[in-house]
Short mmCIF file of all heavy atoms in Angstrom, two decimals:
data_model
loop_
_atom_site.label_atom_id
_atom_site.label_comp_id
_atom_site.label_asym_id
_atom_site.label_seq_id
_atom_site.Cartn_x
_atom_site.Cartn_y
_atom_site.Cartn_z
N MET X 1 84.32 124.44 92.45
CA MET X 1 84.07 124.56 93.90
C MET X 1 85.41 124.60 94.65
O MET X 1 86.24 123.72 94.47
CB MET X 1 83.25 123.36 94.37
CG MET X 1 82.45 123.67 95.64
SD MET X 1 81.65 122.20 96.25
CE MET X 1 80.31 122.04 95.07
N SER X 2 85.58 125.61 95.41
CA SER X 2 86.84 125.70 96.15
C SER X 2 86.81 124.77 97.35
O SER X 2 85.81 124.63 98.05
CB SER X 2 87.05 127.14 96.62
OG SER X 2 86.10 127.48 97.59
N LYS X 3 87.91 124.14 97.56
CA LYS X 3 87.99 123.20 98.67
C LYS X 3 88.83 123.80 99.78
O LYS X 3 89.99 123.47 99.96
CB LYS X 3 88.60 121.89 98.18
CG LYS X 3 88.18 120.71 99.04
CD LYS X 3 88.78 119.42 98.52
CE LYS X 3 88.44 118.26 99.44
NZ LYS X 3 89.19 117.07 99.05
N LYS X 4 88.23 124.71 100.46
CA LYS X 4 88.95 125.37 101.54
C LYS X 4 88.75 124.61 102.84
O LYS X 4 87.62 124.38 103.27
CB LYS X 4 88.42 126.80 101.72
CG LYS X 4 89.39 127.85 101.22
CD LYS X 4 88.89 129.23 101.60
CE LYS X 4 89.73 130.29 100.92
NZ LYS X 4 89.20 131.63 101.15
N THR X 5 89.82 124.26 103.42
CA THR X 5 89.72 123.59 104.71
C THR X 5 90.34 124.47 105.77
O THR X 5 91.46 124.94 105.62
CB THR X 5 90.43 122.22 104.70
OG1 THR X 5 91.69 122.37 104.08
CG2 THR X 5 89.61 121.18 103.97
N LYS X 6 89.56 124.70 106.77
CA LYS X 6 90.04 125.54 107.86
C LYS X 6 90.83 124.67 108.83
O LYS X 6 90.28 123.75 109.43
CB LYS X 6 88.83 126.16 108.57
CG LYS X 6 89.17 127.45 109.28
CD LYS X 6 87.89 128.05 109.84
CE LYS X 6 88.18 129.35 110.54
NZ LYS X 6 86.96 129.90 111.14
N LYS X 7 92.10 124.96 108.92
CA LYS X 7 92.93 124.16 109.81
C LYS X 7 93.40 124.98 110.99
O LYS X 7 93.75 126.13 110.85
CB LYS X 7 94.14 123.63 109.04
CG LYS X 7 93.75 122.66 107.96
CD LYS X 7 94.94 122.27 107.12
CE LYS X 7 94.50 121.33 106.01
NZ LYS X 7 95.58 121.03 105.09
N ARG X 8 93.39 124.34 112.10
CA ARG X 8 93.92 125.04 113.28
C ARG X 8 94.71 124.06 114.12
O ARG X 8 94.37 122.88 114.25
CB ARG X 8 92.78 125.67 114.09
CG ARG X 8 91.76 124.69 114.61
CD ARG X 8 90.61 125.44 115.25
NE ARG X 8 89.48 124.57 115.54
CZ ARG X 8 89.29 123.98 116.72
NH1 ARG X 8 90.14 124.16 117.70
NH2 ARG X 8 88.24 123.20 116.91
N PHE X 9 95.76 124.56 114.66
CA PHE X 9 96.61 123.72 115.49
C PHE X 9 96.07 123.65 116.90
O PHE X 9 95.48 124.60 117.40
CB PHE X 9 98.03 124.26 115.51
CG PHE X 9 98.78 123.97 114.25
CD1 PHE X 9 98.79 124.88 113.20
CD2 PHE X 9 99.46 122.77 114.11
CE1 PHE X 9 99.47 124.60 112.03
CE2 PHE X 9 100.14 122.49 112.94
CZ PHE X 9 100.14 123.40 111.90
N ILE X 10 96.28 122.54 117.53
CA ILE X 10 95.84 122.37 118.90
C ILE X 10 97.02 122.61 119.81
O ILE X 10 97.97 121.83 119.83
CB ILE X 10 95.29 120.95 119.12
CG1 ILE X 10 94.22 120.64 118.06
CG2 ILE X 10 94.70 120.81 120.51
CD1 ILE X 10 93.94 119.16 117.92
N ALA X 11 96.94 123.70 120.52
CA ALA X 11 98.03 124.05 121.41
C ALA X 11 98.14 123.05 122.57
O ALA X 11 97.14 122.71 123.19
CB ALA X 11 97.83 125.46 121.96
N GLY X 12 99.33 122.59 122.80
CA GLY X 12 99.57 121.70 123.91
C GLY X 12 99.22 120.25 123.64
O GLY X 12 99.34 119.41 124.51
N ALA X 13 98.79 119.97 122.41
CA ALA X 13 98.44 118.59 122.08
C ALA X 13 99.68 117.83 121.65
O ALA X 13 100.55 118.36 120.97
CB ALA X 13 97.40 118.57 120.97
N LYS X 14 99.72 116.59 122.06
CA LYS X 14 100.87 115.76 121.73
C LYS X 14 100.44 114.67 120.77
O LYS X 14 99.44 114.00 120.97
CB LYS X 14 101.42 115.15 123.03
CG LYS X 14 102.74 114.46 122.85
CD LYS X 14 103.20 113.92 124.20
CE LYS X 14 104.37 112.99 124.04
NZ LYS X 14 104.71 112.34 125.32
N CYS X 15 101.21 114.51 119.73
CA CYS X 15 100.89 113.48 118.75
C CYS X 15 101.15 112.10 119.34
O CYS X 15 102.23 111.82 119.85
CB CYS X 15 101.75 113.68 117.50
SG CYS X 15 101.52 112.36 116.29
N PRO X 16 100.14 111.22 119.30
CA PRO X 16 100.30 109.88 119.85
C PRO X 16 101.22 109.01 118.99
O PRO X 16 101.68 107.96 119.43
CB PRO X 16 98.88 109.32 119.87
CG PRO X 16 98.13 110.12 118.85
CD PRO X 16 98.80 111.46 118.75
N GLU X 17 101.46 109.46 117.80
CA GLU X 17 102.28 108.67 116.88
C GLU X 17 103.77 109.00 117.01
O GLU X 17 104.58 108.13 117.28
CB GLU X 17 101.81 108.93 115.45
CG GLU X 17 102.37 107.97 114.43
CD GLU X 17 101.70 106.60 114.49
OE1 GLU X 17 100.58 106.52 115.00
OE2 GLU X 17 102.31 105.63 114.03
N CYS X 18 104.11 110.27 116.84
CA CYS X 18 105.53 110.64 116.87
C CYS X 18 105.91 111.35 118.16
O CYS X 18 107.08 111.57 118.42
CB CYS X 18 105.88 111.49 115.65
SG CYS X 18 105.11 113.12 115.62
N GLY X 19 104.90 111.70 118.96
CA GLY X 19 105.17 112.30 120.25
C GLY X 19 105.55 113.76 120.21
O GLY X 19 105.96 114.34 121.22
N ALA X 20 105.42 114.40 119.06
CA ALA X 20 105.76 115.81 118.94
C ALA X 20 104.65 116.68 119.51
O ALA X 20 103.48 116.32 119.47
CB ALA X 20 106.00 116.16 117.48
N MET X 21 105.05 117.83 120.03
CA MET X 21 104.07 118.74 120.60
C MET X 21 103.64 119.78 119.57
O MET X 21 104.43 120.20 118.72
CB MET X 21 104.68 119.46 121.81
CG MET X 21 104.85 118.55 123.02
SD MET X 21 103.31 118.18 123.87
CE MET X 21 102.96 119.76 124.62
N ASP X 22 102.39 120.22 119.69
CA ASP X 22 101.85 121.30 118.85
C ASP X 22 101.96 121.01 117.36
O ASP X 22 102.11 121.92 116.55
CB ASP X 22 102.56 122.63 119.17
CG ASP X 22 102.36 123.02 120.61
OD1 ASP X 22 101.34 122.65 121.19
OD2 ASP X 22 103.24 123.71 121.15
N THR X 23 101.90 119.77 116.99
CA THR X 23 101.94 119.44 115.56
C THR X 23 100.58 118.93 115.08
O THR X 23 100.40 118.70 113.91
CB THR X 23 103.00 118.36 115.28
OG1 THR X 23 102.68 117.21 116.04
CG2 THR X 23 104.38 118.84 115.63
N LEU X 24 99.67 118.77 116.02
CA LEU X 24 98.35 118.27 115.65
C LEU X 24 97.46 119.40 115.16
O LEU X 24 97.34 120.43 115.81
CB LEU X 24 97.69 117.58 116.84
CG LEU X 24 98.32 116.27 117.29
CD1 LEU X 24 97.57 115.73 118.50
CD2 LEU X 24 98.31 115.24 116.18
N MET X 25 96.87 119.19 114.02
CA MET X 25 95.94 120.20 113.53
C MET X 25 94.57 119.58 113.32
O MET X 25 94.42 118.40 113.02
CB MET X 25 96.45 120.82 112.23
CG MET X 25 96.64 119.82 111.12
SD MET X 25 97.18 120.67 109.63
CE MET X 25 97.18 119.28 108.50
N LEU X 26 93.60 120.44 113.50
CA LEU X 26 92.21 120.02 113.42
C LEU X 26 91.59 120.71 112.21
O LEU X 26 91.77 121.90 112.00
CB LEU X 26 91.50 120.45 114.70
CG LEU X 26 90.26 119.70 115.15
CD1 LEU X 26 90.54 118.23 115.38
CD2 LEU X 26 89.75 120.32 116.44
N TYR X 27 90.90 119.96 111.42
CA TYR X 27 90.25 120.55 110.26
C TYR X 27 89.02 119.77 109.86
O TYR X 27 88.81 118.65 110.33
CB TYR X 27 91.23 120.63 109.09
CG TYR X 27 91.71 119.29 108.59
CD1 TYR X 27 91.14 118.72 107.45
CD2 TYR X 27 92.70 118.59 109.24
CE1 TYR X 27 91.56 117.50 106.97
CE2 TYR X 27 93.13 117.37 108.78
CZ TYR X 27 92.55 116.82 107.65
OH TYR X 27 92.97 115.60 107.20
N PHE X 28 88.23 120.40 109.04
CA PHE X 28 87.00 119.75 108.60
C PHE X 28 87.11 119.30 107.16
O PHE X 28 87.59 120.04 106.31
CB PHE X 28 85.80 120.69 108.76
CG PHE X 28 85.25 120.71 110.15
CD1 PHE X 28 85.73 121.62 111.08
CD2 PHE X 28 84.27 119.81 110.52
CE1 PHE X 28 85.23 121.64 112.37
CE2 PHE X 28 83.77 119.82 111.82
CZ PHE X 28 84.25 120.74 112.74
N GLU X 29 86.69 118.09 106.92
CA GLU X 29 86.67 117.58 105.57
C GLU X 29 85.36 116.84 105.39
O GLU X 29 85.08 115.88 106.10
CB GLU X 29 87.85 116.63 105.35
CG GLU X 29 88.11 116.35 103.88
CD GLU X 29 89.32 115.45 103.70
OE1 GLU X 29 89.14 114.23 103.79
OE2 GLU X 29 90.43 115.96 103.50
N ASN X 30 84.57 117.31 104.46
CA ASN X 30 83.24 116.73 104.24
C ASN X 30 82.42 116.71 105.53
O ASN X 30 81.77 115.72 105.85
CB ASN X 30 83.35 115.30 103.68
CG ASN X 30 84.12 115.27 102.37
OD1 ASN X 30 83.96 116.16 101.54
ND2 ASN X 30 84.95 114.28 102.19
N ASN X 31 82.50 117.82 106.25
CA ASN X 31 81.77 117.98 107.51
C ASN X 31 82.21 117.00 108.59
O ASN X 31 81.51 116.79 109.57
CB ASN X 31 80.25 117.83 107.30
CG ASN X 31 79.69 119.02 106.52
OD1 ASN X 31 80.15 120.15 106.70
ND2 ASN X 31 78.75 118.76 105.65
N VAL X 32 83.34 116.40 108.38
CA VAL X 32 83.87 115.50 109.39
C VAL X 32 85.12 116.14 110.00
O VAL X 32 86.00 116.59 109.28
CB VAL X 32 84.24 114.13 108.78
CG1 VAL X 32 84.84 113.22 109.84
CG2 VAL X 32 83.01 113.48 108.17
N GLU X 33 85.14 116.20 111.31
CA GLU X 33 86.27 116.78 111.99
C GLU X 33 87.43 115.79 111.99
O GLU X 33 87.28 114.66 112.41
CB GLU X 33 85.88 117.13 113.43
CG GLU X 33 86.81 118.14 114.05
CD GLU X 33 86.32 118.60 115.40
OE1 GLU X 33 85.48 117.91 116.01
OE2 GLU X 33 86.78 119.63 115.87
N LYS X 34 88.54 116.26 111.51
CA LYS X 34 89.68 115.35 111.43
C LYS X 34 90.88 115.92 112.15
O LYS X 34 91.06 117.13 112.25
CB LYS X 34 90.03 115.10 109.96
CG LYS X 34 88.96 114.30 109.27
CD LYS X 34 89.41 113.86 107.91
CE LYS X 34 88.38 112.92 107.30
NZ LYS X 34 88.80 112.41 106.00
N LEU X 35 91.69 115.00 112.60
CA LEU X 35 92.88 115.37 113.34
C LEU X 35 94.07 114.80 112.60
O LEU X 35 94.07 113.65 112.20
CB LEU X 35 92.79 114.75 114.74
CG LEU X 35 93.75 115.21 115.81
CD1 LEU X 35 93.49 116.66 116.20
CD2 LEU X 35 93.58 114.33 117.04
N ALA X 36 95.07 115.63 112.39
CA ALA X 36 96.23 115.14 111.67
C ALA X 36 97.49 115.77 112.21
O ALA X 36 97.50 116.90 112.70
CB ALA X 36 96.09 115.45 110.18
N CYS X 37 98.57 115.02 112.12
CA CYS X 37 99.86 115.52 112.57
C CYS X 37 100.64 115.98 111.34
O CYS X 37 100.64 115.33 110.30
CB CYS X 37 100.62 114.40 113.29
SG CYS X 37 102.28 114.89 113.78
N VAL X 38 101.29 117.13 111.47
CA VAL X 38 102.04 117.65 110.32
C VAL X 38 103.45 117.07 110.26
O VAL X 38 104.15 117.23 109.29
CB VAL X 38 102.12 119.20 110.38
CG1 VAL X 38 100.75 119.81 110.20
CG2 VAL X 38 102.77 119.68 111.67
N LYS X 39 103.84 116.41 111.32
CA LYS X 39 105.20 115.86 111.37
C LYS X 39 105.27 114.42 110.88
O LYS X 39 106.26 113.98 110.32
CB LYS X 39 105.74 115.93 112.80
CG LYS X 39 106.43 117.23 113.11
CD LYS X 39 107.39 117.04 114.27
CE LYS X 39 108.73 117.69 113.99
NZ LYS X 39 109.70 117.38 115.05
N CYS X 40 104.21 113.69 111.14
CA CYS X 40 104.18 112.30 110.68
C CYS X 40 102.88 112.05 109.95
O CYS X 40 102.15 112.99 109.65
CB CYS X 40 104.35 111.35 111.87
SG CYS X 40 102.95 111.33 113.00
N ASP X 41 102.58 110.84 109.69
CA ASP X 41 101.38 110.52 108.92
C ASP X 41 100.17 110.25 109.78
O ASP X 41 99.15 109.76 109.30
CB ASP X 41 101.66 109.28 108.04
CG ASP X 41 102.60 109.61 106.91
OD1 ASP X 41 102.63 110.78 106.49
OD2 ASP X 41 103.31 108.70 106.44
N TYR X 42 100.29 110.59 111.05
CA TYR X 42 99.17 110.33 111.95
C TYR X 42 97.93 111.13 111.53
O TYR X 42 98.00 112.32 111.27
CB TYR X 42 99.56 110.70 113.38
CG TYR X 42 98.41 110.58 114.35
CD1 TYR X 42 97.98 109.33 114.78
CD2 TYR X 42 97.76 111.71 114.81
CE1 TYR X 42 96.91 109.23 115.65
CE2 TYR X 42 96.69 111.62 115.69
CZ TYR X 42 96.27 110.37 116.11
OH TYR X 42 95.22 110.27 116.97
N ALA X 43 96.82 110.44 111.48
CA ALA X 43 95.57 111.11 111.15
C ALA X 43 94.43 110.38 111.82
O ALA X 43 94.43 109.16 111.92
CB ALA X 43 95.35 111.14 109.65
N GLU X 44 93.50 111.15 112.33
CA GLU X 44 92.36 110.53 113.00
C GLU X 44 91.11 111.32 112.71
O GLU X 44 91.14 112.54 112.60
CB GLU X 44 92.62 110.49 114.51
CG GLU X 44 91.65 109.59 115.24
CD GLU X 44 91.89 109.58 116.74
OE1 GLU X 44 93.06 109.63 117.15
OE2 GLU X 44 90.90 109.53 117.47
N THR X 45 90.03 110.62 112.58
CA THR X 45 88.76 111.28 112.37
C THR X 45 88.10 111.50 113.72
O THR X 45 87.86 110.56 114.45
CB THR X 45 87.84 110.44 111.48
OG1 THR X 45 88.54 110.16 110.28
CG2 THR X 45 86.58 111.20 111.15
N GLN X 46 87.88 112.76 114.02
CA GLN X 46 87.29 113.10 115.30
C GLN X 46 85.81 113.41 115.12
O GLN X 46 85.44 114.51 114.78
CB GLN X 46 87.98 114.33 115.89
CG GLN X 46 89.44 114.09 116.21
CD GLN X 46 89.61 113.37 117.52
OE1 GLN X 46 89.20 113.86 118.57
NE2 GLN X 46 90.20 112.21 117.49
N THR X 47 85.01 112.45 115.33
CA THR X 47 83.57 112.72 115.25
C THR X 47 82.96 112.32 116.57
O THR X 47 83.18 112.96 117.57
CB THR X 47 82.93 111.98 114.06
OG1 THR X 47 83.45 110.66 114.01
CG2 THR X 47 83.25 112.69 112.76
N ASN X 48 82.23 111.24 116.58
CA ASN X 48 81.74 110.77 117.87
C ASN X 48 82.41 109.44 118.21
O ASN X 48 83.15 108.89 117.40
CB ASN X 48 80.22 110.65 117.88
CG ASN X 48 79.73 109.80 116.72
OD1 ASN X 48 80.23 108.70 116.51
ND2 ASN X 48 78.78 110.30 115.98
N ASP X 49 82.12 108.95 119.38
CA ASP X 49 82.78 107.72 119.83
C ASP X 49 82.45 106.53 118.94
O ASP X 49 83.27 105.65 118.76
CB ASP X 49 82.38 107.42 121.28
CG ASP X 49 83.03 108.41 122.23
OD1 ASP X 49 83.96 109.12 121.79
OD2 ASP X 49 82.61 108.49 123.38
N GLU X 50 81.25 106.54 118.41
CA GLU X 50 80.83 105.43 117.57
C GLU X 50 81.68 105.36 116.30
O GLU X 50 82.20 104.32 115.93
CB GLU X 50 79.37 105.60 117.19
CG GLU X 50 78.60 104.30 117.16
CD GLU X 50 77.12 104.54 116.99
OE1 GLU X 50 76.44 104.76 118.01
OE2 GLU X 50 76.68 104.55 115.85
N VAL X 51 81.83 106.51 115.68
CA VAL X 51 82.63 106.59 114.47
C VAL X 51 84.10 106.36 114.80
O VAL X 51 84.82 105.72 114.06
CB VAL X 51 82.43 107.96 113.78
CG1 VAL X 51 83.32 108.08 112.56
CG2 VAL X 51 80.98 108.15 113.39
N LYS X 52 84.48 106.87 115.94
CA LYS X 52 85.86 106.70 116.40
C LYS X 52 86.20 105.22 116.54
O LYS X 52 87.23 104.76 116.12
CB LYS X 52 86.04 107.39 117.75
CG LYS X 52 86.88 108.64 117.67
CD LYS X 52 87.05 109.15 119.08
CE LYS X 52 87.97 110.32 119.16
NZ LYS X 52 88.01 110.84 120.53
N ALA X 53 85.28 104.51 117.17
CA ALA X 53 85.49 103.09 117.39
C ALA X 53 85.52 102.35 116.07
O ALA X 53 86.34 101.46 115.85
CB ALA X 53 84.38 102.54 118.28
N ALA X 54 84.61 102.73 115.19
CA ALA X 54 84.56 102.10 113.88
C ALA X 54 85.81 102.42 113.10
O ALA X 54 86.36 101.58 112.39
CB ALA X 54 83.33 102.60 113.12
N ASN X 55 86.26 103.65 113.26
CA ASN X 55 87.46 104.09 112.57
C ASN X 55 88.67 103.30 113.04
O ASN X 55 89.55 102.96 112.27
CB ASN X 55 87.67 105.58 112.83
CG ASN X 55 88.57 106.21 111.80
OD1 ASN X 55 88.42 105.95 110.61
ND2 ASN X 55 89.51 107.01 112.24
N LYS X 56 88.68 103.03 114.32
CA LYS X 56 89.80 102.30 114.90
C LYS X 56 89.84 100.86 114.39
O LYS X 56 90.89 100.33 114.08
CB LYS X 56 89.71 102.32 116.42
CG LYS X 56 90.62 103.38 117.01
CD LYS X 56 90.59 103.33 118.53
CE LYS X 56 91.41 104.50 119.08
NZ LYS X 56 91.17 104.67 120.51
N SER X 57 88.67 100.24 114.33
CA SER X 57 88.62 98.85 113.87
C SER X 57 88.90 98.76 112.38
O SER X 57 89.38 97.76 111.89
CB SER X 57 87.27 98.23 114.20
OG SER X 57 86.23 98.97 113.60
N ASN X 58 88.59 99.85 111.67
CA ASN X 58 88.86 99.87 110.24
C ASN X 58 90.33 100.13 109.94
O ASN X 58 90.80 99.87 108.85
CB ASN X 58 88.02 100.97 109.56
CG ASN X 58 86.58 100.53 109.38
OD1 ASN X 58 86.28 99.35 109.45
ND2 ASN X 58 85.71 101.47 109.14
N ALA X 59 91.01 100.66 110.94
CA ALA X 59 92.41 101.04 110.73
C ALA X 59 93.26 99.86 110.30
O ALA X 59 94.16 100.00 109.49
CB ALA X 59 92.98 101.64 112.01
N ASN X 60 92.91 98.70 110.84
CA ASN X 60 93.67 97.51 110.47
C ASN X 60 93.41 97.08 109.03
O ASN X 60 94.26 96.51 108.38
CB ASN X 60 93.31 96.36 111.41
CG ASN X 60 93.81 96.62 112.81
OD1 ASN X 60 94.83 97.29 112.99
ND2 ASN X 60 93.10 96.13 113.80
N VAL X 61 92.22 97.41 108.57
CA VAL X 61 91.85 97.02 107.21
C VAL X 61 92.42 98.01 106.19
O VAL X 61 92.97 97.62 105.19
CB VAL X 61 90.30 96.97 107.06
CG1 VAL X 61 89.93 96.51 105.65
CG2 VAL X 61 89.72 96.03 108.10
N ILE X 62 92.28 99.30 106.56
CA ILE X 62 92.73 100.34 105.63
C ILE X 62 94.25 100.47 105.64
O ILE X 62 94.87 100.67 104.60
CB ILE X 62 92.07 101.69 106.00
CG1 ILE X 62 90.55 101.56 105.86
CG2 ILE X 62 92.59 102.81 105.10
CD1 ILE X 62 89.80 102.70 106.48
N GLY X 63 94.82 100.33 106.84
CA GLY X 63 96.26 100.52 106.96
C GLY X 63 97.02 99.35 106.36
O GLY X 63 97.35 98.39 107.03
N VAL X 64 97.24 99.40 105.07
CA VAL X 64 97.89 98.30 104.39
C VAL X 64 99.41 98.32 104.57
O VAL X 64 100.06 97.30 104.47
CB VAL X 64 97.56 98.28 102.88
CG1 VAL X 64 96.15 97.76 102.68
CG2 VAL X 64 97.72 99.65 102.26
N PHE X 65 99.92 99.53 104.83
CA PHE X 65 101.37 99.61 105.02
C PHE X 65 101.73 99.20 106.43
O PHE X 65 101.01 99.48 107.36
CB PHE X 65 101.90 100.99 104.68
CG PHE X 65 101.43 102.05 105.64
CD1 PHE X 65 102.17 102.36 106.78
CD2 PHE X 65 100.26 102.76 105.41
CE1 PHE X 65 101.75 103.33 107.65
CE2 PHE X 65 99.82 103.73 106.28
CZ PHE X 65 100.56 104.02 107.41
N LYS X 66 102.83 98.56 106.57
CA LYS X 66 103.27 98.14 107.90
C LYS X 66 104.59 98.83 108.24
O LYS X 66 105.54 98.73 107.49
CB LYS X 66 103.51 96.62 107.92
CG LYS X 66 102.23 95.83 107.80
CD LYS X 66 102.57 94.35 107.77
CE LYS X 66 101.38 93.52 107.30
NZ LYS X 66 101.80 92.16 106.96
N PRO X 67 104.58 99.53 109.37
CA PRO X 67 105.84 100.14 109.80
C PRO X 67 106.81 99.07 110.28
O PRO X 67 106.49 98.30 111.17
CB PRO X 67 105.42 101.06 110.94
CG PRO X 67 104.09 100.56 111.39
CD PRO X 67 103.48 99.75 110.27
N GLU X 68 107.92 98.98 109.63
CA GLU X 68 108.87 97.93 110.01
C GLU X 68 110.18 98.50 110.48
O GLU X 68 110.55 99.58 110.09
CB GLU X 68 109.12 97.03 108.81
CG GLU X 68 107.93 96.09 108.57
CD GLU X 68 108.14 95.22 107.33
OE1 GLU X 68 109.13 94.49 107.28
OE2 GLU X 68 107.31 95.31 106.43
ZN1 LIG S 101 103.01 112.95 114.66
#
């Protein structure tokens, strides 16, 4: 099974992590819309607010690495 992901950049979008412009790309993975920055490791799942909120609260659990 080919795992083709359609990625598209969001024009004018600013990465909340590194602050770079036009580096955010939107793509689908397992029918979930995801947002990722190509410059840094920023990634976010863009679905609905409920999942977004859950994703945010999970970030502390999943994000084991600490930027120091
Ligand atoms: Zn970034």
Side-chain angles (χ1 to χ4, degrees):
M1 205 186 285
S2 67
K3 205 179 176 189
K4 253 188 189 174
T5 46
K6 204 175 181 183
K7 295 173 182 174
R8 60 187 169 94
F9 284 92
I10 307 162
K14 190 179 169 187
C15 175
E17 192 76 21
C18 67
M21 288 285 289
D22 300 332
T23 58
L24 291 178
M25 60 178 185
L26 205 59
Y27 63 100
F28 277 90
E29 195 178 85
N30 302 321
N31 290 324
V32 178
E33 200 173 18
K34 292 189 173 183
L35 192 67
C37 176
V38 293
K39 272 203 135 186
C40 68
D41 289 333
Y42 175 75
E44 193 181 323
T45 305
Q46 296 280 300
T47 43
N48 53 50
D49 289 346
E50 218 171 274
V51 177
K52 251 184 175 176
N55 200 45
K56 260 184 186 167
S57 58
N58 282 342
N60 291 330
V61 182
I62 298 167
V64 285
F65 67 91
K66 291 178 195 166
E68 285 177 58

